[in-house]
Amino acid sequence: MVLGYLKAILRALESILACPALLASRSSRRSSREGLIQKRSLQDLEREISRMLVDHLTTSNLLMMSAQMQRQYQDKLQSSPHCMLPSYNHTLPSGNESGTYLALDVGGSTFRVALVSLRGRHQGVDGMKIIRMTSHTIDEDVRSLQGTNFFDWMASRIKATLTEGPDVDTPHHTLPIGLSWSFPIEQTSIRGGMIQNMGKGFNCANGILGQDLGDLIEAACGRSGLDVRIDAIVNDSSATLLSRAYLDPCTTMSLILGTGMNAAVHMPVSQIGLEKFGSRDASWHAQADMVITNTELSMFGGSVLPKTRFDDQLNRSHVLPDFQPLEYMTTGRYLGEIIRLIILEAIETAGLFGGNIPASITMPYTLDTTFLAILESDTTPHMTRASLYLEKTHAFNTVPSFEELCFLKAMAECVSIRAAAYLATSIHALWSIGRVTEENDVANTTTMDKTTIACDGSVINKYPGFRELCQSYIAKMISEKQHKGQIIPEIHLEPAHEAAILGAAVAVAVCVS
Ligand code: BGC
């Protein structure tokens, strides 16, 4: 009889374990949504997620991660067709280049066409001027265009800009053209390069991988009746570096953090494996000691930077899982998506918004970084600014309570703090490998103590407090590594405005001068 009794208890336990909702129902209350079980309090969830996102961001942990990332960089600098890509630009601009150029900038969410005038570094910021610019939104429809269809779309926008705007002195078709391309590209000359996989939700590379980018654009323009020749192609990270280096010769690195992320470095050729230079001419090697290298930084950090279940979820449902681990945790395209996944879990398990999912966020990528920025910057006692914004942009059954707004704000803070810390780690690692080489190669180390990094992108330049936070993480990492009495090297993150479009013009100016 005792045995029968024990078996009955075991059966009951088994059925409870097989159905966790039964377990939860003993200690939880029903939310307003029919059938939803609230399993934990919002504060409890907030504590757990904050711990996961920020507790490990101590200076010593960041330094450990930086050391691991340095090994990843060194490895890819020797052989990888996808990242640490040396360009053909070996010299930085002298600052004396001048003329009027047509610059194209294919970014993650806009395509811009501009006439740029360069008048020399001696003119200060007036040395670079955008005479005329048109900006065309790249929405989901454009992102989904495949192969040549995307280039035909570009050509129609270039044509509209050239034919609809006021005349310029130089005949349009003879203007030298520079292109800034915000995707990886394996350069085969200063004006050509092979299309590689494209992130940021673009389908353009489908079916044309390995084809020449310059040829594709010229052919599309030809179909539109435009006779153009692309003279220089640079990744947007290199464009950013070039644009600031035109005005300030101390700039040797760049950082982009907007829809996507990346960094470029002017680094010694000797640090890069020979096979990475492809079959370029011996005359190029004879002239080049240094080379602007597109790191494709977004592709690093995979096995180094700790992830949460939300990152795993995002990665699993991404069209290119594991392609750009650092990008998925730091950029404008993904910060909002991480928060959206947190919100969905909070709705389901902690009764956020009364257990109701606002219709506006049911689909992936429907929360943008503005949402986080507004929450974080709202210092009003009742978070009225954030509340008004939420009401305007999302349909709620009931207005979010103050407690709910505080939860959202805390989550936004944690996600952006982690992004700043991971970004700082990857920059510190990049700066450190350059330093090791300089220390080996150069006897006079005084020139190494200040590095200016040109920064472009909405997150690094506009997100409240982001650049400062990133800068302070970098400073802490550097000073922790210094010995007593040593001069502490400085890294300055400096905003570079309109850098991609101006840099495209500088790139072409450097090669035609
Ligand atoms: C691309 C890079 C680009 C960066 C910033 C990344 O997703 O792979 O080529 O420089 O975004 O736009």
Side-chain angles (χ1 to χ4, degrees):
M1 195 177 121
V2 175
L3 200 61
Y5 182 61
L6 281 175
K7 278 186 181 159
I9 292 180
L10 274 176
R11 270 198 304 276
L13 276 174
E14 266 166 16
S15 62
I16 287 174
L17 288 173
C19 178
L22 278 180
L23 263 181
S25 68
R26 295 174 181 239
S27 58
S28 61
R29 65 180 169 82
R30 285 199 171 260
S31 82
S32 64
R33 192 156 67 114
E34 196 51 40
L36 180 80
I37 307 299
Q38 183 181 324
K39 300 177 188 126
R40 61 198 304 188
S41 73
L42 205 52
Q43 293 85 341
D44 183 35
L45 182 65
E46 179 180 321
R47 272 192 298 273
E48 193 231 344
I49 299 178
S50 311
R51 262 200 311 273
M52 282 193 310
L53 284 167
V54 297
D55 268 16
H56 61 295
L57 304 177
T58 58
T59 308
S60 57
N61 275 345
L62 298 188
L63 281 168
M64 216 164 62
M65 295 182 223
S66 163
Q68 290 169 5
M69 289 195 77
Q70 288 170 49
R71 284 196 284 280
Q72 291 192 335
Y73 297 161
Q74 299 285 20
D75 189 35
K76 301 292 180 198
L77 273 167
Q78 296 318 307
S79 62
S80 162
H82 306 297
C83 47
M84 295 295 179
L85 306 170
S87 69
Y88 270 69
N89 308 76
H90 50 83
T91 47
L92 293 176
S94 66
N96 296 323
E97 298 83 357
S98 61
T100 303
Y101 304 95
L102 185 63
L104 311 177
D105 165 29
V106 181
S109 43
T110 46
F111 170 46
R112 301 185 304 163
V113 184
L115 272 175
V116 174
S117 145
L118 299 180
R119 297 194 299 158
R121 181 181 289 164
H122 60 280
Q123 302 258 347
V125 282
D126 288 340
M128 294 172 129
K129 270 230 163 84
I130 295 178
I131 306 174
R132 192 169 84 220
M133 179 158 78
T134 56
S135 182
H136 313 273
T137 303
I138 298 180
D139 57 19
E140 286 306 325
D141 288 345
V142 178
R143 280 200 184 93
S144 65
L145 294 176
Q146 304 206 11
T148 50
N149 292 339
F150 179 76
F151 295 105
D152 284 334
W153 176 84
M154 268 179 75
S156 69
R157 297 311 181 270
I158 298 172
K159 187 171 182 180
T161 309
L162 291 181
T163 52
E164 285 162 20
D167 273 349
V168 280
D169 295 343
T170 328
H172 299 141
H173 65 278
T174 59
L175 277 178
I177 300 182
L179 166 73
S180 164
W181 182 246
S182 71
F183 303 93
I185 177 171
E186 189 183 336
Q187 295 218 234
T188 48
S189 69
I190 200 94
R191 58 164 303 277
M194 293 191 280
I195 298 261
Q196 299 199 357
N197 263 325
M198 293 163 71
K200 302 174 184 168
F202 279 66
N203 287 339
C204 165
N206 295 358
I208 53 164
L209 279 179
Q211 291 190 31
D212 188 87
L213 176 59
D215 290 349
L216 285 161
I217 297 174
E218 286 170 9
C221 286
R223 287 192 290 277
S224 275
L226 285 178
D227 176 20
V228 298
R229 187 190 142 85
I230 306 282
D231 296 284
I233 293 181
V234 278
N235 176 263
D236 58 344
S237 60
S238 308
T240 300
L241 174 44
L242 286 167
S243 81
R244 201 168 193 289
Y246 183 77
L247 297 176
D248 168 10
C250 299
T251 313
T252 53
M253 285 173 75
S254 68
L255 167 68
I256 308 227
L257 189 69
T259 314
M261 67 99 51
N262 199 358
V265 200
H266 193 222
M267 70 190 317
V269 167
S270 59
Q271 225 177 331
I272 305 172
L274 205 57
E275 69 176 68
K276 305 245 342 178
F277 292 95
S279 56
R280 59 186 81 182
D281 221 76
S283 62
W284 186 89
H285 283 283
Q287 293 172 52
D289 291 331
M290 306 282 283
V291 62
I292 296 184
T293 301
N294 164 18
T295 63
E296 287 298 333
L297 203 65
S298 62
M299 297 182 189
F300 289 91
S303 52
V304 174
L305 306 169
K307 295 192 194 63
T308 66
R309 58 179 176 274
F310 306 104
D311 303 305
D312 291 335
Q313 218 177 321
L314 186 153
N315 186 50
R316 271 197 309 272
S317 51
H318 198 283
V319 278
L320 294 173
D322 304 320
F323 179 51
Q324 296 174 300
L326 189 54
E327 184 150 315
Y328 300 167
M329 294 191 275
T330 54
T331 69
R333 181 158 170 80
Y334 300 104
L335 296 182
E337 180 60 5
I338 298 173
I339 290 287
R340 194 186 72 91
L341 295 172
I342 292 176
I343 290 177
L344 290 184
E345 182 176 309
I347 289 173
E348 175 139 5
T349 67
L352 181 73
F353 303 151
N356 296 301
I357 303 177
S360 55
I361 63 162
T362 48
M363 299 304 287
Y365 300 100
T366 41
L367 268 190
D368 61 14
T369 320
T370 318
F371 178 82
L372 280 77
I374 287 188
L375 283 162
E376 271 211 56
S377 57
D378 189 347
T379 48
T380 60
H382 303 290
M383 295 193 62
T384 32
R385 270 192 59 218
S387 175
L388 282 173
Y389 172 81
L390 285 187
E391 262 181 76
K392 219 168 62 194
T393 48
H394 300 281
F396 293 101
N397 287 356
T398 50
V399 178
S401 67
F402 180 63
E403 186 205 0
E404 291 175 325
L405 291 171
C406 291
F407 169 80
L408 296 177
K409 181 171 177 164
M411 294 297 94
E413 276 167 3
C414 291
V415 168
S416 71
I417 287 173
R418 185 187 66 160
Y422 282 1
L423 188 70
T425 305
S426 63
I427 292 292
H428 177 269
L430 204 54
W431 171 82
S432 303
I433 58 165
R435 234 174 132 69
V436 170
T437 316
E438 282 188 55
E439 274 165 5
N440 293 342
D441 289 356
V442 186
N444 176 5
T445 55
T446 53
T447 53
M448 302 185 314
D449 292 332
K450 271 193 191 152
T451 307
T452 300
I453 303 182
C455 296
D456 194 17
S458 51
V459 179
I460 190 75
N461 285 344
K462 297 208 181 111
Y463 194 94
F466 193 95
R467 196 177 61 253
E468 294 74 7
L469 185 60
C470 188
Q471 175 90 61
S472 82
Y473 273 120
I474 294 174
K476 279 191 211 140
M477 292 170 80
I478 294 178
S479 61
E480 181 118 339
K481 284 283 272 189
Q482 290 312 109
H483 301 296
K484 255 209 165 123
Q486 265 185 331
I487 298 172
I488 298 185
E490 291 170 27
I491 296 182
H492 295 285
L493 299 177
E494 297 287 348
H497 298 291
E498 305 294 7
I501 200 89
L502 292 172
V506 173
V508 67
V510 169
C511 75
V512 298
S513 292

